[in-house]
């Protein structure tokens, strides 16, 4: 069982160590890569994410600044901040935490970010470059998944990859990355007919639907590699026991913390069928932040010619 687990924490630690080395190499040139995060409103989950980004920057020797704006900030105010960060030569990466409050035009905000500082890879210029298979800043979660597949020596070329979920943040860029690596890619979504029949074709199955334990044993072919992008907080003991029957450690964690995290995949029932599988937590999550750091250093080098 342990051999099956794709350990995102381990791969993320390798990536962070490499980023720290690059940061150290840049220091003698007077370059300290800097990531600026913009948080609008006080969504607690977003605060946690942004806080962990800032802490990771500090650990790797990078600079960071977090800009917290009130939830009722007008569009023009947010765009003025983006303009200021675009113009600041010390700022290498700009990350606007999503989702933005209702009333803000998210596309207009993301379109305003200088594509050279767009470390989330959400600007249409970077999206277009990725689509054409040209060098680009690539969204962190799919980039991290690809990095893990490579480091774990999981073959992609010629294999069937099925991505469930067509978001701009994960599903669509994931499909593009796998396509460029010569997988035969199917992108599924909520209107896909007979989803289990499609996902059972997958040698590599990426679940990014945002629905708790939706991918069950009937969705997975024997020997498939299963990547779980979902994050759901279980706050009912009955749900913990349904999804993790007899798992004393998980029950203990639930009792001490009041909740446990799990993903889009019914891990207990899918793991026996899969050849490799990511857990939640400790799978894809840590890779996302590691790749954000890697993108920031990459942006710094490219923009500063370092
Ligand atoms: N919200 C959820 N995922 C992401 C992400 O990767 N980047 C940003 N900016 N916001 C998010």
């Amino acid at each position: 069982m342990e051999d099956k687990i794709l350990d995102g924490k381990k791969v993320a630690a390798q990536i962070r160590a490499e980023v720290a080395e690059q940061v150290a190499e840049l220091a003698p040139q007077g370059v300290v890569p800097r990531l600026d995060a913009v948080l609008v409103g006080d969504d607690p989950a977003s605060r946690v994410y942004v806080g962990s980004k800032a802490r990771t920057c500090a650990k790797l020797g990078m600079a960071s600044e977090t800009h917290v704006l009130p939830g009722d900030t007008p569009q023009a105010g947010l765009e003025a901040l983006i303009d200021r960060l675009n113009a600041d030569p010390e700022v290498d990466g700009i990350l606007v935490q999503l989702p933005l409050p209702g009333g803000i035009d998210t596309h207009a905000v993301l379109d305003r970010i200088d594509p050279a500082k767009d470390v989330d890879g959400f600007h249409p210029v970077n999206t277009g470059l990725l689509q054409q298979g040209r060098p680009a800043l690539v969204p962190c979660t799919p980039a991290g998944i690809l990095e893990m597949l490579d480091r774990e020596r999981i073959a992609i070329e010629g294999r069937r990859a099925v991505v469930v979920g067509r978001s701009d943040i994960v599903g669509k860029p994931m499909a593009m990355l796998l396509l460029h690596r010569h997988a035969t890619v199917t992108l599924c979504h909520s209107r896909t007919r007979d989803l289990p029949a499609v996902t059972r074709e997958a040698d590599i199955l990426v679940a990014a639907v945002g629905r708790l334990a939706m991918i069950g044993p009937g969705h997975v072919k024997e020997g498939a590699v299963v990547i779980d992008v979902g994050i759901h907080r279980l706050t009912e003991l009955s749900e913990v026991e349904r999804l993790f029957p007899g798992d004393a450690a998980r029950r203990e964690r639930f009792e001490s913390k009041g909740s446990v995290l799990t993903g889009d995949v019914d891990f207990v029932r899918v793991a026996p069928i899969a050849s490799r599988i990511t857990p939640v937590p400790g799978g894809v999550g840590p890779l996302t932040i590691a790749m954000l750091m890697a993108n920031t250093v990459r942006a710094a080098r490219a923009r500063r010619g370092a």
Side-chain angles (χ1 to χ4, degrees):
M1 181 63 187
E2 284 303 305
D3 294 353
K4 284 193 182 193
I5 301 287
L6 286 166
D7 185 349
K9 283 186 292 194
K10 183 189 78 182
V11 176
Q14 289 168 1
I15 296 168
R16 285 196 306 270
E18 291 164 17
V19 170
E21 269 174 34
Q22 292 188 46
V23 171
E25 281 166 23
L26 290 170
Q29 300 171 57
V31 173
V32 181
R34 173 171 148 184
L35 172 66
D36 279 43
V38 179
L39 179 61
V40 187
D42 55 5
D43 176 56
S46 292
R47 261 185 194 277
V48 171
Y49 293 139
V50 169
S52 69
K53 287 161 189 165
R55 274 195 305 281
T56 308
C57 280
K59 277 189 203 148
L60 303 187
M62 296 161 58
S64 77
E65 193 77 51
T66 301
H67 307 267
V68 182
L69 302 181
D72 60 357
T73 299
Q75 183 88 25
L78 180 51
E79 291 184 4
L81 172 60
I82 305 286
D83 291 347
R84 187 160 69 70
L85 300 177
N86 282 340
D88 186 337
E90 295 301 318
V91 175
D92 296 296
I94 302 171
L95 176 143
V96 177
Q97 184 64 34
L98 302 180
L100 289 166
I104 298 273
D105 178 346
T106 299
H107 278 139
V109 171
L110 298 180
D111 289 0
R112 204 153 182 115
I113 297 172
D114 177 349
K117 298 188 177 188
D118 170 36
V119 286
D120 259 329
F122 295 163
H123 190 283
V125 165
N126 283 314
T127 308
L129 290 169
L130 171 61
Q131 199 253 14
Q132 293 184 347
R134 296 162 67 188
L137 287 165
V138 175
C140 302
T141 300
I145 292 169
L146 202 71
E147 198 63 41
M148 178 164 65
L149 293 175
D150 283 343
R151 288 174 192 242
E152 294 288 331
R153 303 191 186 287
I154 292 166
I156 300 173
E157 184 175 337
R159 300 182 87 193
R160 296 256 167 162
V162 176
V163 179
V164 190
R166 57 176 155 182
S167 69
D168 290 330
I169 296 182
V170 182
K172 283 189 233 170
M174 185 80 254
M176 274 303 149
L177 288 171
L178 291 164
L179 178 64
H180 294 318
R181 294 291 299 278
H182 314 293
T184 300
V185 181
T186 305
L187 187 48
C188 300
H189 46 77
S190 53
R191 315 264 174 99
T192 297
R193 283 194 202 145
D194 196 0
L195 179 70
V198 181
T199 56
R200 276 198 305 269
E201 293 280 308
D203 301 307
I204 299 169
L205 176 59
V206 181
V209 251
R211 287 184 53 192
L212 172 66
M214 191 210 153
I215 301 297
H219 292 81
V220 180
K221 177 171 78 176
E222 184 81 35
V225 174
V226 178
I227 308 293
D228 190 352
V229 182
I231 300 183
H232 307 277
R233 193 171 286 283
L234 301 182
T235 54
E236 301 287 336
L237 181 60
S238 59
E239 280 195 310
V240 179
E241 297 204 314
R242 176 174 70 85
L243 292 171
F244 301 96
D247 184 338
R250 204 164 302 246
R251 192 188 162 127
E252 218 164 88
R253 217 177 314 148
F254 176 84
E255 279 164 0
S256 74
K257 295 201 166 171
S259 66
V260 288
L261 296 179
T262 191
D264 287 349
V265 176
D266 184 346
F267 183 87
V268 166
R269 294 165 186 90
V270 168
I273 306 169
S275 62
R276 308 295 307 275
I277 185 166
T278 59
V280 177
V284 170
L287 295 168
T288 299
I289 290 187
M291 290 312 292
L292 177 66
M293 301 298 127
N295 275 354
T296 302
V297 171
R298 185 167 165 202
R301 299 183 92 131
R303 205 175 50 82
R304 303 190 197 221

